[in-house]
Amino acid sequence: MPHCCTLIPGDGIGPEVANAAVRAIEAAGVDIQWRRAELNQAIILESGKTLPKYLLDSLRETRVGLKGPVTTPVGEGFQSVNVALRKTLDLFANVRPVRTLPGIKTRFDDLPIDMVIFRENTEDLYSGLEHEIVKDVVTSLKVITRTASIRIAQYAFNYARVNGRKRVTAIHKANIMKLADGLFLRCCREVSGDYPEIQYKEMIVDNASMQLVLRPETFDVLLLPNLYGDIVSDLAAGLVGGLGIVPGANMGESYAVFEAVHGSAPDIAGQGKANPTALMMSSVMLLIHIGETQAAHKLQAAVEAVYREGKHLTGDLGGTASTEEFTGAVLRAIQ
Ligand code: NAI
C-alpha cells in the first residue's frame, strides 16, 4: 500500500525544491501517492481565502504534508498562510534541528553544532490581533496561554528524553514581559520537574542570541515562544551554513506538515539556484514520521555523502551547482 501525503509546492523557490525532494524520496524507494495542492499568492488573491478548502480537505485526509514556502506580502495584504495553516490544524510544535553538515566550513570548524529548536507555533505575537486604535497608534497583542506553553514544553522535554539529549534551555524575555513570558517560563519550569534527568536552563533572548553566536556548540535543545523561535531559528541556520540546509516540521496531535525554515527566496526564484537540502532533510523527518526509517536514513546518508564529497555545492554554500545538479548528485548517492 502506498502512503498518501499532501504536497504543497508553494511559490518562489518552493516548486523547485519540492520537485527535488519528491524525486529524492522516490529514489529512496518509498512509494508515496502525492495529493498535490497548489497554494500561492495568485490563488489566494483570486479566491479571497488564505487557506483554500481543497488544501485543508487534503491535509485532513492524508494527515501528512510536505510543504514548500509561500510568500506573504510585507506590511500589507493577506494574513500569512503559514501562520493560518499552523493555527487551523493546531500544529503546535515547530521542530527545527540545526546541525553542521559534513564538509561545510563554518566559523566553528572543530566544534560540531547539533541543536534542536522547539518553537511554539500557534500564539504569541503571531495571533494576528492587531488594531489601529486611532490614526498612527497601533497595538499588537501578545497572547501566551498555559495550555500552549505546557504543551510545547512537554513536547521538547519528551523529545530530549527519547533522543538522549542532556539539556533544555528555555529562552524568554520575562525580565520585561513579566506576565506573558513569565507564564511561559513558569510552565517550562513546571514541566522540567517531570524530567529530572534532563538539565534545565533559562536564558534571556538577547543574551541567548549572543551565546549562540559565540558558543553554539554548548546548546542542545532550545525551547521558545513563537516570535523568538522564529528569529532564533534563522540565526541558528546562519551558524551552520544558512537557510538552504535547515529542515523543519510542524507537529500537532493529528497532523504533521514538514517544511524548511526558509521562505520563498524571491531573489533567486526561477533561476535553478535554490538549495533543496532543507526540504530534502525535512523529507527525512517526514519519512521517519510515516515509519519509513530505513529510507529516511538512506536519504540522509546520501545528502551527507554529497556534502562530504563537496563537488556539487549550490551557490549559497560557495559552490556553483544548480538545484538540478545537486539533486542529481543526491539521487546517484542513493543508488
Ligand atoms: P527567505 O528565507 O525566503 O530568504 C532569505 C535569504 O536566504 C535570501 O537571500 C534567499 O535567497 C536565501 N535562501 C533561502 N532559502 C534558500 C535556499 N533553499 N537556497 C539558497 N538560498 C536560500 O526569507 P525572506 O526573503 O525574508 O522571505 C521571502 C518570503 O518568504 C516572504 O514573503 C516571507 O513571508 C516568506 N516566508 C515563508 C515561509 C514559509 O512559507 N514557511 C518562511 C519564511 C518566509
Side-chain angles (χ1 to χ4, degrees), residues 13 67 69-72 82 86 243-244 259 261-268 274-275 316:
I13 59 168
K67 177 181 166 298
V70 179
T71 306
T72 308
N82 308 303
R86 292 163 189 169
L243 285 168
E259 65 176 337
V261 174
H262 66 71
S264 55
D267 52 337
I268 56 164
N275 186 348
D316 54 323

Side-chain angles (χ1 to χ4, degrees), residues 133-149:
I133 302 174
V134 290
K135 189 169 166 3
D136 292 342
V137 180
V138 171
T139 60
S140 194
L141 289 184
K142 169 161 169 141
V143 179
I144 298 286
T145 64
R146 178 177 161 80
T147 307
S149 303

Side-chain angles (χ1 to χ4, degrees), residues 97-119:
V98 180
R99 294 193 187 103
T100 315
L101 276 171
I104 295 295
K105 280 237 163 295
T106 69
R107 293 188 177 85
F108 316 95
D109 273 351
D110 304 326
L111 299 166
I113 297 167
D114 180 9
M115 62 181 96
V116 189
I117 295 174
F118 288 82
R119 162 187 172 194

Side-chain angles (χ1 to χ4, degrees), residues 264-280:
S264 55
D267 52 337
I268 56 164
Q271 300 173 30
K273 286 183 185 171
N275 186 348
T277 304
L279 201 60
M280 285 185 182

